[in-house]
Amino acid sequence: MAVTGLLLVGFLYVHMIGNLKIFFGAETFDHYAHWLRTIGTPLLPQDWYLWIQRAVLTFAVIGHITAAVILARRASKARPVKYSHRPKVQGSYAARTMRWGGVIVLLFIIYHILDLTTGTLNPNGKPGEVYANVAADFAPSRWYVTLFYTLSIVAVGFHLRHGLWSAARTLGQQRPHGEKIARAVALVLSVVLVVGYLSVPFAVLIGLVD
């Protein structure tokens, strides 16, 4: 679960950096989107890199969900009889809502693909016009899309914060001092990710990107 999670986190940061190119204008952003389709050429046919990336990410998502189900079942078998009285456990919001957060993230991924990848749910939805598609998607009149996007990205942030700390423990970090560092790093990385992703829809909403 830790390995697949870190793979997905790496993609999220690379994707976020690419998204920020929208602030350099339509030509730069559209050129970047076109460049992604040519990675690996002429060794690979056009678009093959994207399909390889999609296959790897799909494998990682399925692996991550499968690992979560296995761990949940193991936890249930480890304590088949419920506590007659279970004291309140102190824990972060992210830890207590990790599973629900994962479901929200999964639903968001499905919507995001249909919206900005296939263009099925996008009001513009024209291949190659990536800048225009994003601008049309988060237009002020579609505030409900921005709201859903915001809630989903915040859920990703909470999920990421707890997930990075858990991954550090899984991969061998057990020292108290190291745990404090891991928690701080997880928080900073999560905030950076949330701010980076939300900067795009809010820039469109207030007119910085149109």
Side-chain angles (χ1 to χ4, degrees):
M1 190 169 189
V3 173
T4 54
L6 290 175
L7 179 61
L8 294 170
V9 169
F11 167 75
L12 284 174
Y13 273 96
V14 173
H15 188 47
M16 178 194 72
I17 293 172
N19 284 353
L20 295 178
K21 288 183 176 293
I22 198 171
F23 292 104
F24 293 94
E27 183 178 354
T28 298
F29 195 56
D30 289 347
H31 179 268
Y32 165 71
H34 174 73
W35 171 77
L36 290 176
R37 298 181 177 278
T38 63
I39 295 178
T41 57
L43 180 63
L44 296 174
Q46 184 165 313
D47 289 347
W48 271 42
Y49 167 79
L50 285 179
W51 284 108
I52 293 173
Q53 176 182 271
R54 290 164 183 165
V56 172
L57 291 174
T58 299
F59 171 79
V61 170
I62 294 174
H64 200 66
I65 294 173
T66 301
V69 172
I70 292 174
L71 290 175
R73 289 180 176 177
R74 286 181 181 177
S76 179
K77 290 180 179 179
R79 183 69 190 184
V81 180
K82 293 183 178 180
Y83 291 100
S84 57
H85 174 68
R86 185 174 184 177
K88 184 177 181 181
V89 179
Q90 295 296 323
S92 68
Y93 174 83
R96 295 196 302 270
T97 61
M98 198 65 174
R99 294 175 187 173
W100 283 109
V103 172
I104 293 173
V105 172
L106 178 60
L107 293 176
F108 170 69
I109 291 173
I110 295 172
Y111 173 80
H112 190 62
I113 291 173
L114 293 174
D115 181 22
L116 292 173
T117 301
T118 66
T120 306
L121 301 178
N122 191 276
N124 192 53
K126 296 180 180 179
E129 297 185 7
V130 185
Y131 185 96
N133 290 342
V134 172
D137 197 37
F138 299 114
S141 60
R142 287 168 55 85
W143 59 268
Y144 48 89
V145 174
T146 302
L147 177 60
F148 173 65
Y149 190 91
T150 300
L151 294 176
S152 299
I153 293 300
V154 170
V156 170
F158 279 116
H159 196 82
L160 181 64
R161 178 193 173 195
H162 182 72
L164 287 173
W165 170 75
S166 297
R169 289 181 61 86
T170 299
L171 298 176
Q173 196 326 97
Q174 300 292 334
R175 297 178 303 169
H177 179 66
E179 181 173 333
K180 292 182 180 179
I181 295 176
R183 287 183 180 275
V185 171
L187 176 60
V188 171
L189 290 177
S190 301
V191 171
V192 169
L193 191 80
V194 170
V195 172
Y197 272 101
L198 292 185
S199 65
V200 175
F202 279 96
V204 176
L205 188 65
I206 65 177
L208 289 178
V209 173
D210 56 25

